[in-house]
Amino acid sequence: MGLSEKNEEKRSFVNKIKKNSFLLLTLIPGFLYILAFFLIIVFFILQMSLTTYVGGMVETSPTLQNFVDLTSSEEFKDAFSRTFVFVIISTPLQLITGLVTAIIVNKSFKGRGIVRSIFLLPLAIPTIVTTATLLLLFSKGGHVTSLLMGDYSWFPAIVDYEISFLNNETLAIGLSILGKVWRDTPISMLILLAGLQSIDESQYEAAKTMGANSVRQFMYITIPLLIPAISSVLVLRSIEAWKEFIFPYILAPSYPILGVLIEKYFVQLNNPGMAAAIGVILIFLIVIFTVFLNWLLKKVNELLVRV
């Protein structure tokens, strides 16, 4: 690259800065606000993670003992496994349900506004209410168990014993995932709906004239052009899934995931050092998983464009 080209790029960069100077100035307060909170939180969580506590009082600092203890903790390993399962199941489910609902409300039909409002309804219900409802339905003696055992005259008995949904690890974590997906699907739907509405209809018309059926249009027009929205959904929802707390805390307290384990150490065991160490590991996992997702989506996009 010659000297004149470098100077031209430099002038172009400076002109862009000048052109967007007002926008950049308005962003500075928000950026400083986020940065300040981020640095404060990171500083204190690192400080606590490098400190051991006894009865809530500082014992030793700095030390890596909390991290050493976690490497040999079966409870931590189990919590990590459950969290990983929670993420890899709930994240794609939120993408699929969000995509299906977004495609439905993207169509023009009578009553579309009502259908869209129904799909958005989970956002209007507080998470604690959703969780409490699931607890009432699936707890011992709850409506679902009674229904399956034929306690209601209008429904035949399917089982002759009481299913303990909340005392079975698979069922309890499954219920937590069910609640999480139902509660957060509208967020995925709104992101994907915005992506669908940004696709130019002329591309579908051109594909039809070339004989492409609906499946090929979906695979080679909708999906590639929706990759930015899909990326946003997967990244945002996976981060939320990694740090999920309320659903497994209430529906699966005997089978904690990492978010619940942090609460256990911090509140119940009065050990903020171990809680902070788990928090640091959780942040590290979120960063690694997000980088992996972005790499995977980039490869998928390249493959679809090539095809």
Side-chain angles (χ1 to χ4, degrees):
M1 183 180 292
L3 184 61
S4 59
E5 290 179 343
K6 288 184 178 178
N7 289 334
E8 182 62 31
E9 284 188 359
K10 186 176 180 181
R11 277 195 295 272
S12 176
F13 179 74
V14 172
N15 288 335
K16 285 182 181 177
I17 296 292
K18 288 180 179 178
K19 186 178 179 181
N20 299 292
S21 58
F22 178 74
L23 176 62
L24 293 174
L25 285 174
T26 59
L27 291 176
I28 288 176
F31 173 75
L32 293 177
Y33 175 79
I34 294 173
L35 181 65
F37 268 90
F38 175 77
L39 292 177
I40 290 171
I41 291 171
V42 168
F43 172 76
F44 281 104
I45 196 172
L46 282 176
Q47 185 187 47
M48 283 196 295
S49 69
L50 298 174
T51 304
T52 56
Y53 294 80
V54 175
M57 304 299 292
V58 174
E59 182 188 44
T60 308
S61 181
T63 175
L64 294 173
Q65 189 59 46
N66 292 322
F67 294 97
V68 174
D69 291 343
L70 285 176
T71 58
S72 59
S73 170
E74 292 300 322
E75 184 180 38
F76 172 76
K77 293 175 184 175
D78 291 341
F80 168 75
S81 300
R82 293 188 198 103
T83 308
F84 186 71
V85 170
F86 193 95
V87 172
I88 62 171
I89 293 179
S90 67
T91 302
L93 277 180
Q94 289 183 60
L95 173 65
I96 293 170
T97 54
L99 183 59
V100 171
T101 51
I103 289 174
I104 292 172
V105 298
N106 193 42
K107 303 288 184 183
S108 295
F109 58 90
K110 191 176 181 180
R112 183 174 68 167
I114 296 174
V115 173
R116 182 164 49 195
S117 300
I118 292 173
F119 286 159
L120 291 174
L121 196 59
L123 280 182
I125 301 175
T127 306
I128 189 67
V129 174
T130 304
T131 316
T133 303
L134 287 172
L135 185 64
L136 287 173
L137 288 172
F138 291 94
S139 60
K140 189 176 182 180
H143 294 291
V144 173
T145 301
S146 300
L147 186 72
L148 295 175
M149 294 181 68
D151 291 349
Y152 297 103
S153 58
W154 51 270
F155 195 85
I158 297 178
V159 296
D160 56 0
Y161 57 90
E162 187 171 30
I163 299 176
S164 184
F165 287 97
L166 304 184
N167 292 323
N168 179 289
E169 181 174 347
T170 302
L171 294 177
I173 295 296
L175 277 178
S176 302
I177 293 174
L178 175 70
K180 177 69 176 175
V181 171
W182 184 83
R183 170 65 176 73
D184 291 349
T185 287
I187 301 173
S188 304
M189 183 192 77
L190 291 174
I191 296 173
L192 294 166
L193 182 60
L196 286 173
Q197 292 178 343
S198 69
I199 299 176
D200 192 346
E201 283 294 326
S202 63
Q203 299 194 52
Y204 291 108
E205 296 299 330
K208 286 179 184 176
T209 59
M210 290 187 287
N213 58 27
S214 299
V215 175
R216 293 185 68 84
Q217 290 176 38
F218 180 77
M219 289 299 299
Y220 301 120
I221 296 178
T222 304
I223 293 296
L225 294 178
L226 211 55
I227 284 292
I230 291 174
S231 303
S232 299
V233 169
L234 289 177
V235 171
L236 292 175
R237 303 328 303 163
S238 65
I239 292 173
E240 284 292 320
W242 275 110
K243 58 189 183 69
E244 177 58 27
F245 172 72
I246 190 68
F247 283 105
Y249 178 71
I250 293 179
L251 297 174
S254 300
Y255 314 103
I257 63 173
L258 290 178
V260 179
L261 200 59
I262 291 175
E263 187 276 343
K264 179 181 178 181
Y265 275 104
F266 193 84
V267 177
Q268 300 178 32
L269 302 180
N270 200 18
N271 189 342
M274 288 289 276
I278 298 171
V280 170
I281 294 173
L282 189 56
I283 293 171
F284 179 76
L285 291 171
I286 290 173
V287 172
I288 295 296
F289 194 77
T290 302
V291 171
F292 170 74
L293 265 183
N294 285 322
W295 173 83
L296 184 63
L297 288 165
K298 184 180 177 182
K299 292 295 179 185
V300 170
N301 192 34
E302 288 175 355
L303 178 65
L304 289 174
V305 170
R306 191 181 306 130
V307 172

